[in-house]
Each structure stands twice: as structure tokens, then as C-alpha cells.
Amino acid sequence: VANTIGGGSLSYYWQQVKSFFRRMLLGNPLATSVQLEHRLPIYLALPVFASDALSSVAYATEEILIQFEQSHFAITPAVLKLLLYISFAIAGLIIIVGSSYRQAIHLYPSGGGSYSVSRDNLGVVPGLIAAASLTIDYILTVAVSVSSAVAQLASLPWFKSLHVEVHLLGLHMPLTVIAALLLVAIIMLVNLRGTKESGWTFAAPAYAFVAFLGVALVVTLIRFFTGNITPVTHAESAGLTVAGAATGPIGLFLILRAFASGSAALTGVEAVSNGVSAFEPPEAKNAAKTLLILMVILVLLFLGVGWAVYLYHIIPMSTETVIAQVAHAAYGAQGFGGVVATLTVLATLLVLMIAANTSFAGLPRLLALVAKDGYAPKTFINLGDRLVHTSGIIVLSLAAALLIIGFRAETNALIPLYAVGVFICFTLSQAGMVRKVLEQKVPGWQRMATLNALGCAITFIVALIQAVTKFTQGAWMVVLVLPILVYIFWLINRHYKWFDETMTVHQYDYNPLTEPEEPLTVLVLVSSDVHRGILEGLECGRAIAASGPNNILRAVHIEMDQEKTPRLQEKWEMLVEPYIGQKIRLDVVPSPYRWLIEPIMDYLDWTDLERSGDRIIVVLPEFETGSWITRILHNYTGNRLRTALLNRPHVTVVSSRFFMKPMAWRLGRGGLVY
Amino acid sequence: VANTIGGGSLSYYWQQVKSFFRRMLLGNPLATSVQLEHRLPIYLALPVFASDALSSVAYATEEILIQFEQSHFAITPAVLKLLLYISFAIAGLIIIVGSSYRQAIHLYPSGGGSYSVSRDNLGVVPGLIAAASLTIDYILTVAVSVSSAVAQLASLPWFKSLHVEVHLLGLHMPLTVIAALLLVAIIMLVNLRGTKESGWTFAAPAYAFVAFLGVALVVTLIRFFTGNITPVTHAESAGLTVAGAATGPIGLFLILRAFASGSAALTGVEAVSNGVSAFEPPEAKNAAKTLLILMVILVLLFLGVGWAVYLYHIIPMSTETVIAQVAHAAYGAQGFGGVVATLTVLATLLVLMIAANTSFAGLPRLLALVAKDGYAPKTFINLGDRLVHTSGIIVLSLAAALLIIGFRAETNALIPLYAVGVFICFTLSQAGMVRKVLEQKVPGWQRMATLNALGCAITFIVALIQAVTKFTQGAWMVVLVLPILVYIFWLINRHYKWFDETMTVHQYDYNPLTEPEEPLTVLVLVSSDVHRGILEGLECGRAIAASGPNNILRAVHIEMDQEKTPRLQEKWEMLVEPYIGQKIRLDVVPSPYRWLIEPIMDYLDWTDLERSGDRIIVVLPEFETGSWITRILHNYTGNRLRTALLNRPHVTVVSSRFFMKPMAWRLGRGGLVY
């Protein structure tokens, strides 16, 4: 287009800059056709999807102990024995729920987890309850994992200063909050770059966590058999035993609450079955294999930590996490052992970040599924430049950041909210599975149905325990938000249904568009001078009005300065007919208050009445000076006018823009300058 | 329009709220036809236009004294006598310059002052220099007057705490800065309400100032004749006399600098002749009368204050202004006298605010004049709802606020910048007057030319003295900004000239618009579903394409999700021909990166090449859900797309909006709901 090569405009450079930073942060855009390549092999999928469950080892045992401590019970050997029993119960739970989800993978090879299972077998409302529960728990996973990761970091001597309180935007909060927000931002960016990268970035530390903690437990085993165990002594613990310690037997309610807190270890078990579509083909088989590996590692690590805590007589402390204490007790605090213990803590930190990352893999996919069913905003379906669900990632990051700020990045404070939703999901999906198995009667259906029914019953009981025992500690928020979220899903669906009903055209509908042709009214807005831009607008209006014999073409001038009108009318007489080829009536509308939009609307009302509501086409002749700086020298009213006119029914707005200067433009790509 | 009555939208309520606050702050809009009524009678015009000059009495004498003190001269009786001589010299200057401007009023009854006179008689560049000088000094008048007003307030015992330093947006500054900014905001609002109100609001305190200060001087006169004068004794002055006081004779440079500082008393003498058009008819006669009254009062007050300072042996202090000291010395500090002295200070404060108001009357008018000549942005011509030049008022307020923040609301610091511009204007307009008188040879031209030539020579010398003696103190900024401002005026004019050359159509121009009719290419953008909105868009496109036999009508779909294309094509076949009445070709453009705008631009490039650059009409079928909250549930791309397309030459954008729900709308006025 030879006649439009030319200089640049500000928006052009602005586009360049935006595009540059976008690519630097997120990488080059990926075509839809490469989508399939971004599937994960088992050795990458395991760290991505299993780390949520694995990482809960880092805090689950600690949370059990904290329940006793918060009720003023000293952590005596008897209590630690109780911890062991609770840990065994939770390990049993892991095996039952995990096995049940392995069945779900084979029954639902397309992925979707609790939401798909509940929706398909139990109906829409249970499906939405599952979706809402999952949404809440994905967000909490990010908040809890990142908060715990920062706590791990603050356990190291070099990072004790993270406990310092600072001012932030008028809020007092410890530095840990800022550190946690930073971690969320980093995870968000990594995920906006796409899954493959996040797989590689996070695979190594996840394995390191398993290795370091595993070796620590093996060392503990060796110490146990060689009689080399030295229980940890605590100033804190001693003080607690002397003053204010509760006496008497430990009540059932407290034991159940401790069990409920510890069962946070189960969160993430469903992640694999929700993310089947991210696995390398054969998806279902690989996912099932991954889940089995996960269960084995999870049970071993969780029981191992519980047992080590029992042996070393470890007590929760505000300055050092239980994992850090186990590592120090096993490896020793000095010399080479101290270095390995520090590495164990760092690996724990990293695996917690991968756990947060699990949500970033899971929630956007879930929301996309829900959106495809019409219960969430359609924007969650869209794939960004890097083939990820951008909106879901951003919504998750913001929600987690709000939780972190609200709960001051304290894992203890967040845990009561956590896991309620997970067990609701478990219950619903197990119930769905029972129904599916009973209907399909695949080989071995009796055994499968029994397993799922057992899981359903147990997880339902655990969900109840969660909600009741932790209600006053914060679980009430989840009980409140869950139905609201379900209601919002339902409202969104109602809107989309209304949209489809209103907009969809059926073949044999009565159709107003094929009515006998209605004449058009074409109005061209004219400024106080008849310049080239106006003539081009008039020519455009004339061309449109030429489409039918009964169409009306008129020009309208809003008279803001009476003195200019005679000159306008003179030029009108002189120029319009010779240039446009026909006479055009010019209506001058007085504007006593020097307003622009209101007189136009009045004129349109009048036109509506006269022409009884036909469609009106308004031509806005604009001009473009070609550079940003000169634009402020003219009274640009185009955008304001266009917005106002577009908010009026029965008006079609035609924007005819006259380019005074050839302009360069480009939008986010390529090197073409027009 | 019966079928569109219905619910409200957010923007509707937002408009209501905006409109309400606008009226509350600024009053109801005024029609252009009432413009003439807003002229001022002499008794209102005097306070409005003369207060700038009168108020300089409040600081001019003080600034003369400060020059001596800053050079470490003790304020001895000899120095005070020097002050008297300097005051007489300045009074002489007032009489010469004032008389010269009275001639200008009669020669230029339409107003415009220095700018009009210089432009008409000396040429464009001198005119622009005058305009730039006036602009700078109008802004400085606001900054200086408001700062001095706050200093008067801080002289009162109850307001000493205004000197306290506070944090503001990361800056340390005294409370006086915030008080000054508040005063600027108040004056701005009063002026946005319109001149008549500001006339009444300010008339009383201006007269009070003259009365209170006048009576103080009369009291001083009586005290003088009754031998009842008690010189003020100062701890500050005593200290200065003992330590660090300079000795030896006072140099000529310092005397000239003191004279230059004191000649700030002349600023504002030109305001009357610039604002002739604001006077009641007969404008010129009333303005000349006003200027004469002003000169008499000004000379009397200025000389009186100088003489009182001499008699009472008053010395500048950082905590009490000279005017406050004179008032206290004349009326006494205790009892009834003390109350009257306090009232004098308050009247001074108020007259300084009216002085600031002078600029709000003057600069917007000046900028409107310059804009009408094409040297300033056209927006300065526009009259707002209340018949005032809104843009000029806002620009002046912002510039003054910046100066106040930059100079910490210190009158001393601002004074060196002040008055340079004024004397440049004086020189230019006197020179213009000489030329005009010589050309016109009206009766008495010899006398007039002599007076003007004298004024021109004297003010030129004073301008030089101003620039040289105060250069290092801050006048360099004015010397720097002045040519830049003139250059900007010139650049703006160059743009408008280019605009007129490019856009103006002449009767016998070669005209591309009357070429043999070019066929139109009409493209309708189609989403992945053929719904009512799309059909309405297609109908709109069909209607436009019907205007010529060779026009082309096509539909374009940007394929962001390949899976949806077959269904789209199926519906296309099924619906389009029966509903629109003709087959329309549907071009499917693949978008591998799921982008929207770029593939459209590529398609348009291709269309441009194929059709060799004819005008393309792009129809954007949009839909409006009717409420703000539901809008976020759809991927609204309309605005982004429209902006991108409008930035492309040869494209006319047609926005056809389908209203799913009847909408209420209203724009800033009336009670109509459509």
C-alpha cells in the first residue's frame, strides 16, 4: 500500500515496548497446533502433580502437634504415641482415597476429577459443589504452601530477619508476607510461560526433597537400631510443662481436631486425576502409574516423619519447623550434617513451591472445564499466547495473594480453612464413582463399588469432622463461601442460557430481517467548517444512502457558536453539491449550553418520532492528525460521541476517519510498517 | 420510543452522580445568550481588576527592605530614607505606566492589552513575546499573592502553627504550602462558577482593605502631627546590628535590585486594559475611569506604607509581615486597636486572594485571544457550562500549584521571578502605542506619543534592571522559559496552518471525491456462532453494499478454535441466505496464535492488494447485554478492535450494536429515560 508508508505514532512505539516486555517475561507465542507436544512424561508429571500431596508432609505432622499444644497439653511421650496412631489412621485414609482415585482415572481418562465425576453421575448441583470446593482448596493450597515455604526459609539462621514487622501500604505486617507475595508472583510468571517449562524447572528439587527427607528417615532408622537416638530438649517445652499445662485425659473432640488438621496430608491426591489430559499418551495409564508412585512415597514419608518426631521427642516451635528439627536431629546441627540438614530445609521449601504450582496446573484447567459447561465466565476457556489459561492463572494468583495478606502468611491460621473442601470433593466423587460402577457393571464391579462406597463413607465422616471440629477456628468461612460460589456458578449459567435463548436464530423463526425493506435514515454530523474530513464523511453517507430509493440523507450541525453558522451555510452551498453530486439538507441544531452530545440525542429523539423508530445510521467524520502531540490541539470529541451513540438502541455508528498524514502502525507482531 | 423503556445501567447512574456534583460545585449551566449580562459595573470591576496592583502594596515595601537585609545591611534610619526615595521613584513609574495604559484603553476598546497592542503594531513575534510574558506573570501573580496571603495569616498569633513542617506525598513542607494549595483550589472553583459571582464575593473585602489600611495611615498622620509616634523595637534588628552587619556605603547594584523588587507594585496595572471586554458598556470609558481610581489609590497606599515604615522604623521579620507591623504600630497591639489591626491583616489576606483572582480573570481571556489567533490550543476558546474558559482556569491553577510546591510558598523566593515579564510587556505595549499614535495622528498625538515613548524607554530600562539585578536569584528561569513559550506558540500555529492547508477545500480544487464512482468493499466480521447480532450486522453490511452494482460484500471469521468452524459453516449455509436474501461468501482466516486483531490486519492487507487500495468498510456486529455485570461474562473485543481498525487508513468502521435488553440511558441532563 504505497501511499501509506510513513512516520510513526506514539501508540506504535508503545505497542513495540509492550510486546518486547511481554516476550521477555513470557517467551514467544505458541501456535495452537503445538498444543499436543506440551504433554508431560511421568518423570515430569510426578513432581508437577504429586508435589501438593508430598509437600503436605512438611506441615501435616506439625499441625497435629500444634492442636495439642494450643489446648495447653504438654507434648509428653503419651501425646507423641497418640500422634503415631493418628498418623496411621491418616495413612490408611491416604490408601483408601488414593485407590479410589486410581479407579476414577480409568473410568475418566479425559481428566476432570471430582467435578466431572460428580456432574456426570450425581447431577449438576453436586458437580458445582465439587467445583466450588476444589476452587477454594486450590486457592488455599497456594496460600498454605507458600506460607509454609516462607516459614521453612525463616527457620534457617540466615533468614531469621524475615520475622521483622514492616509497614506496607499502611498495613503492619512481617517481612514473611512480602516474601510470600514475591513467591506467588514468581510462580505466576513461570506458569504464564507454560507447563513444559514449569515441569523442568521444578523436577529436580522435588526429587531432592524426597531424597533428603528419605535419607534423614533412613539415618533415623539406623540410629534407632544402633541405639543412637538423642531426644531433642526444648526450653519452650520445659516451660510449658511447668506452667499452664493442662492435665487430665485428652478429649475425643481434640483428638478428632488433631486428626482433621493432619488430614491436610491428603490434599492433592486428586490433582493427578484432575490433570490426566496433561500426561503423555497413554494418558490414563501414565496417570494411574504416577498416582501409585505418589501414594507409596507419601505414606512412607508421612509415617516416617511421625515416627521420627516420636523418637526425637520433637515439639512445634514458632522459629523452626518440625521438618527442620527432624533434619537437624537426624543429620546433626554442626559440620557436614548441618549442611545436609540445611539442604533438606531448602528442598522442603522448593517442594512447597511446586505444591503451589500444582494449583496453577489444576485450577485453570478446572475453571476452563466449568466454563465450557457454561458455569464460569468464558474467558477461562481462552488460551493465552503460551497455550495456558491466562485468566485462571491470574485469578488464582490474586486470590492467593489476598489470603496471604489477610492471614499474614501464617500456616497455622490458614490450616483450619484448608481440607474441608477437599473432603467434600472426595465424598462427592466417591459417591459418583459408586453410581458409575453400579451402572456400568465392568468386570470386578463388586470389588470396585465396595472400595468406593467405603471411601465415600469414610471421607464423608472426615468432611464432617473437619467442618465441626475446626468450625470456630475458621472453617465457617469455607462453609459460608461454598454455597455463595455455587450460587454464582448458577447465576452465570442462567445468564448464558438467557444469552443463547435471546441470540440464537432457528431456521424457521419469524424473522424481522426479511421484512419488506425499511428505509434507512443516514445522518452525517458536521462541524463548523466544511473541510476535507467532512466531505469524506458526506461522501460515505451518500454512498450508504444510495442503497435504497427511500433512504434519507441529512447533515446535522450542532451550533455551539452562532457566529460561525452563516459562514458554514455559505460554504455548504458552495461546496457540497459540486463535490458530493447532490444537495444535502443541513439541519442546524442550536446548543444554548454549548453541549455536544445532548443536542444530538434530542435530535435523534425527534428523528425517531418522525420516522417511527427505523434504524438510524450516524456518520461521524473524524480526522487523524497523525501524531499524538498534535491531537491535543484539536477538540477531539469522537470517542466520547461514539460511546454515547453506541449506548443508544437503533443507532448504527459509522466512523469515517480522514488521515491527514500517512501513519505507521503495527500491532504486537512482525516488522511490517504500512 | 416505547420499545426501549427499561432498566438502568451503571454508566447511567454514574452520569447522574457526576452531574449532581458538577452542579453542586459549579451551579447550573448558563446559556450562551446570557453572556452579555455578565459584565461588571465599575464598583465590581475595581476590586476584580485592580486588586492585583493594590495587593502588591502588601509585599512590595517589604521586598525592598529584604534586599538590604539579605545583603547584611542593618535597617538604619539612613536605609529607611533610601526606602522612601525608592518608593517615590516607583510611584512615579506607576503614574507614567498607568497613564500610558489609559491611552491604550481608548485606542483598544475591545481589550487585549499588551498582547493586542504589540501584535497589531509591532508584529507577530513581539505580540507572542508579550503573550508569553503575560502568561508567566499571571501564573506568578497567583503563586506570589496566595503565598503572601498565607504569610499574612501566619502573622496572626492563632495561626503561628502554619509554620510547622509536615510530610506530604514523600515531601517535607510547611503547612503553609498546603494552606496555599487549598486557597488556589477555592479560587479555581469560584472562577469555574463564573465572573459575576467572583465580583460579588470579593468586592467587600477589597474595599475593607483600602479602608483599614487607609485609616491606619491617617492615624499615623495624626500621630505624626501630634508627636505621638513610637518606633518599633526589634530583638532581631538589634542582633543584626551587632553581629555580621555590613558596613560602608550601599552600592548602586543593591539599590537597583531593591528598586526592581519593589517595582512588583506595578504588576496588575495592565489588568484593566486587558479586561476591557468584561466591563459594563460603555466598556472603554468605564475601564479608563477604573484605572484612574486605581492609580490614585495605589500611589497613596504605597507611599503611605513606605512613609509609615520610615516613621515606625519597621524591619522585615519572618513571623510578622510589614503590613501587620504597620497595623499594630498604628492601631496598637492591645484592646480595640489590636482587633482593628487583626482585621487589617485579614483584609490584606483577602485582597491578596482577589489579586490571585485577577489572573483567573485575565489569563483565560488572554489565552482565548491567543487561541483565536491560532497560537494556542483551540480548547482555550471553549466556554464551559458557566460561560468561563474552563481550560484556561484549570491550566492556571495547576501551574500556580506547581510553583507553590516548588518554592515552598515563600514569597521571597518567588519575587525574583516576578515582574520581569510584566516590564517586558509594558515596554512592548508602550512601543506599540507610540507606533499606533504616530500612524493615526489623532488629536493631541504629539503629547500622547511623547508620554508613551517616555513610558517605553523607562519600562525598558526597568525590565533590564529586573533581569540583570535578579538574574542569579531566579530571574534566569523566566529568561529561559520565555523564548521556549514563544517557540511553542509558533509551533502550535505551524500545526494549525498545516491543518488548514490540508483540510480546506476550495471551490475549484481537483477533487478525488467526484471521480467515477469507486466500488466499496464491505466486510462483516463474524464470530464463531451465527446469532442475531451477527445477522443484524450482515443485514447492515448488505444494506450498505446495495448502494452500488460493483460493491463487494464478504464475511470474515477469525478462526481461533478450529473445532468450532464446521458448526459455523453449517449454520452459515442454513441461515444466511434465507435471512439476508443473498449468499455471502464466508472467509475463514486461521489464527494459529489465537490472536484477533493481527489476522484481521493481515486479511485487510490482502484485500488492499487485491482491490488496489479502495475504501474498505468493516462492519463490527456487537451485542450489548444491557447490564454492566454481565458484560464481563463475554469476551468483549469491540472497543479494542475498533481502535485498531480506526488507526488504519482507508478503513471505515461501522459499529452495529444489537441490544439484547432495552436500556436506560441519559447523559448529564434532564429527566428523560429512553
Side-chain angles (χ1 to χ4, degrees), chain A residues 215-240:
Chain A
V215 172
L217 297 176
V218 170
V219 168
T220 306
L221 199 71
I222 294 168
R223 281 180 190 264
F224 177 69
F225 282 115
T226 57
N228 209 1
I229 297 282
T230 325
V232 184
T233 53
H234 299 275
E236 252 183 74
S237 141
L240 192 66

Short mmCIF file of all heavy atoms in Angstrom, two decimals, chain A residues 215-240:
data_model
loop_
_atom_site.label_atom_id
_atom_site.label_comp_id
_atom_site.label_asym_id
_atom_site.label_seq_id
_atom_site.Cartn_x
_atom_site.Cartn_y
_atom_site.Cartn_z
N VAL A 215 16.54 -39.95 53.17
CA VAL A 215 17.81 -40.33 53.80
C VAL A 215 17.78 -39.99 55.29
O VAL A 215 18.24 -40.77 56.13
CB VAL A 215 19.00 -39.65 53.09
CG1 VAL A 215 20.30 -39.86 53.86
CG2 VAL A 215 19.13 -40.18 51.67
N ALA A 216 17.21 -38.84 55.63
CA ALA A 216 17.10 -38.46 57.05
C ALA A 216 16.35 -39.53 57.83
O ALA A 216 16.71 -39.88 58.96
CB ALA A 216 16.41 -37.11 57.18
N LEU A 217 15.28 -40.08 57.22
CA LEU A 217 14.49 -41.10 57.90
C LEU A 217 15.27 -42.41 57.99
O LEU A 217 15.21 -43.11 59.00
CB LEU A 217 13.15 -41.30 57.18
CG LEU A 217 12.25 -40.04 57.20
CD1 LEU A 217 10.98 -40.27 56.39
CD2 LEU A 217 11.91 -39.62 58.63
N VAL A 218 16.04 -42.72 56.91
CA VAL A 218 16.87 -43.93 56.93
C VAL A 218 17.94 -43.80 58.02
O VAL A 218 18.18 -44.73 58.79
CB VAL A 218 17.52 -44.17 55.55
CG1 VAL A 218 18.57 -45.28 55.64
CG2 VAL A 218 16.45 -44.54 54.53
N VAL A 219 18.55 -42.60 58.10
CA VAL A 219 19.54 -42.34 59.15
C VAL A 219 18.91 -42.56 60.53
O VAL A 219 19.49 -43.19 61.42
CB VAL A 219 20.11 -40.91 59.03
CG1 VAL A 219 20.92 -40.53 60.28
CG2 VAL A 219 20.99 -40.80 57.79
N THR A 220 17.67 -42.04 60.67
CA THR A 220 16.95 -42.22 61.93
C THR A 220 16.75 -43.71 62.24
O THR A 220 16.94 -44.17 63.37
CB THR A 220 15.58 -41.53 61.86
OG1 THR A 220 15.79 -40.18 61.47
CG2 THR A 220 14.87 -41.57 63.20
N LEU A 221 16.41 -44.49 61.19
CA LEU A 221 16.23 -45.94 61.32
C LEU A 221 17.52 -46.59 61.83
O LEU A 221 17.50 -47.41 62.76
CB LEU A 221 15.82 -46.52 59.97
CG LEU A 221 15.15 -47.90 59.99
CD1 LEU A 221 13.76 -47.79 60.58
CD2 LEU A 221 15.09 -48.48 58.58
N ILE A 222 18.63 -46.18 61.20
CA ILE A 222 19.94 -46.74 61.61
C ILE A 222 20.25 -46.36 63.05
O ILE A 222 20.64 -47.18 63.87
CB ILE A 222 21.05 -46.25 60.65
CG1 ILE A 222 20.81 -46.83 59.26
CG2 ILE A 222 22.44 -46.67 61.16
CD1 ILE A 222 21.65 -46.20 58.17
N ARG A 223 20.03 -45.08 63.37
CA ARG A 223 20.26 -44.62 64.74
C ARG A 223 19.42 -45.43 65.72
O ARG A 223 19.86 -45.80 66.82
CB ARG A 223 19.88 -43.14 64.88
CG ARG A 223 20.91 -42.16 64.35
CD ARG A 223 20.37 -40.73 64.56
NE ARG A 223 21.20 -39.74 63.87
CZ ARG A 223 22.19 -39.05 64.45
NH1 ARG A 223 22.44 -39.25 65.73
NH2 ARG A 223 22.90 -38.18 63.78
N PHE A 224 18.16 -45.73 65.32
CA PHE A 224 17.25 -46.48 66.19
C PHE A 224 17.81 -47.86 66.47
O PHE A 224 17.85 -48.32 67.61
CB PHE A 224 15.88 -46.57 65.51
CG PHE A 224 14.88 -47.37 66.28
CD1 PHE A 224 14.36 -46.91 67.50
CD2 PHE A 224 14.44 -48.60 65.80
CE1 PHE A 224 13.44 -47.64 68.20
CE2 PHE A 224 13.50 -49.33 66.51
CZ PHE A 224 13.01 -48.86 67.71
N PHE A 225 18.27 -48.51 65.38
CA PHE A 225 18.76 -49.89 65.57
C PHE A 225 20.10 -49.92 66.27
O PHE A 225 20.43 -50.89 66.94
CB PHE A 225 18.81 -50.63 64.23
CG PHE A 225 17.45 -51.09 63.80
CD1 PHE A 225 16.84 -50.59 62.66
CD2 PHE A 225 16.74 -52.04 64.56
CE1 PHE A 225 15.57 -51.00 62.28
CE2 PHE A 225 15.47 -52.45 64.17
CZ PHE A 225 14.89 -51.93 63.03
N THR A 226 20.91 -48.85 66.11
CA THR A 226 22.20 -48.82 66.80
C THR A 226 22.08 -48.15 68.17
O THR A 226 23.07 -47.90 68.84
CB THR A 226 23.25 -48.05 65.96
OG1 THR A 226 22.72 -46.74 65.73
CG2 THR A 226 23.53 -48.74 64.65
N GLY A 227 20.83 -47.78 68.58
CA GLY A 227 20.62 -47.18 69.90
C GLY A 227 21.25 -45.82 70.04
O GLY A 227 21.75 -45.45 71.09
N ASN A 228 21.23 -45.03 68.93
CA ASN A 228 21.96 -43.78 68.86
C ASN A 228 21.04 -42.55 68.85
O ASN A 228 21.40 -41.50 68.38
CB ASN A 228 22.83 -43.81 67.59
CG ASN A 228 24.08 -42.97 67.77
OD1 ASN A 228 24.29 -42.41 68.85
ND2 ASN A 228 24.89 -42.89 66.73
N ILE A 229 19.79 -42.71 69.34
CA ILE A 229 18.80 -41.63 69.29
C ILE A 229 19.01 -40.67 70.47
O ILE A 229 19.05 -41.10 71.61
CB ILE A 229 17.37 -42.21 69.38
CG1 ILE A 229 17.07 -43.11 68.20
CG2 ILE A 229 16.33 -41.10 69.56
CD1 ILE A 229 16.74 -42.40 66.93
N THR A 230 19.14 -39.35 70.16
CA THR A 230 19.23 -38.35 71.23
C THR A 230 17.98 -37.48 71.16
O THR A 230 17.85 -36.67 70.25
CB THR A 230 20.47 -37.44 71.04
OG1 THR A 230 21.51 -38.22 70.51
CG2 THR A 230 20.86 -36.78 72.34
N PRO A 231 17.05 -37.62 72.10
CA PRO A 231 15.86 -36.76 72.05
C PRO A 231 16.23 -35.28 72.15
O PRO A 231 17.18 -34.94 72.86
CB PRO A 231 15.05 -37.21 73.28
CG PRO A 231 15.56 -38.55 73.60
CD PRO A 231 17.00 -38.56 73.21
N VAL A 232 15.49 -34.46 71.41
CA VAL A 232 15.73 -33.01 71.43
C VAL A 232 15.21 -32.45 72.74
O VAL A 232 14.16 -32.87 73.22
CB VAL A 232 15.00 -32.35 70.25
CG1 VAL A 232 15.32 -30.86 70.20
CG2 VAL A 232 15.37 -33.02 68.95
N THR A 233 15.96 -31.52 73.36
CA THR A 233 15.44 -30.86 74.57
C THR A 233 15.09 -29.43 74.23
O THR A 233 15.79 -28.76 73.45
CB THR A 233 16.49 -30.86 75.70
OG1 THR A 233 17.70 -30.31 75.18
CG2 THR A 233 16.73 -32.25 76.20
N HIS A 234 13.98 -28.97 74.79
CA HIS A 234 13.48 -27.65 74.42
C HIS A 234 13.26 -26.81 75.64
O HIS A 234 12.59 -27.24 76.57
CB HIS A 234 12.15 -27.78 73.69
CG HIS A 234 12.24 -28.56 72.44
ND1 HIS A 234 12.62 -28.01 71.26
CD2 HIS A 234 12.01 -29.87 72.20
CE1 HIS A 234 12.61 -28.95 70.32
NE2 HIS A 234 12.25 -30.09 70.88
N ALA A 235 13.76 -25.60 75.60
CA ALA A 235 13.43 -24.64 76.65
C ALA A 235 11.93 -24.37 76.62
O ALA A 235 11.25 -24.38 77.65
CB ALA A 235 14.20 -23.33 76.41
N GLU A 236 11.40 -24.18 75.44
CA GLU A 236 9.96 -23.90 75.27
C GLU A 236 9.12 -24.98 75.92
O GLU A 236 8.21 -24.71 76.68
CB GLU A 236 9.63 -23.87 73.77
CG GLU A 236 9.35 -22.47 73.23
CD GLU A 236 8.97 -22.51 71.77
OE1 GLU A 236 7.84 -22.93 71.47
OE2 GLU A 236 9.80 -22.14 70.92
N SER A 237 9.45 -26.21 75.61
CA SER A 237 8.69 -27.36 76.10
C SER A 237 8.75 -27.44 77.61
O SER A 237 7.73 -27.62 78.28
CB SER A 237 9.24 -28.63 75.46
OG SER A 237 9.26 -29.67 76.37
N ALA A 238 9.96 -27.24 78.14
CA ALA A 238 10.12 -27.30 79.60
C ALA A 238 9.22 -26.28 80.27
O ALA A 238 8.48 -26.60 81.21
CB ALA A 238 11.59 -27.05 79.97
N GLY A 239 9.27 -25.08 79.76
CA GLY A 239 8.44 -24.02 80.33
C GLY A 239 6.97 -24.38 80.30
O GLY A 239 6.24 -24.19 81.27
N LEU A 240 6.54 -24.96 79.20
CA LEU A 240 5.14 -25.30 79.05
C LEU A 240 4.73 -26.38 80.04
O LEU A 240 3.63 -26.36 80.59
CB LEU A 240 4.88 -25.77 77.61
CG LEU A 240 3.39 -25.89 77.23
CD1 LEU A 240 2.73 -24.53 77.23
CD2 LEU A 240 3.25 -26.56 75.89
#
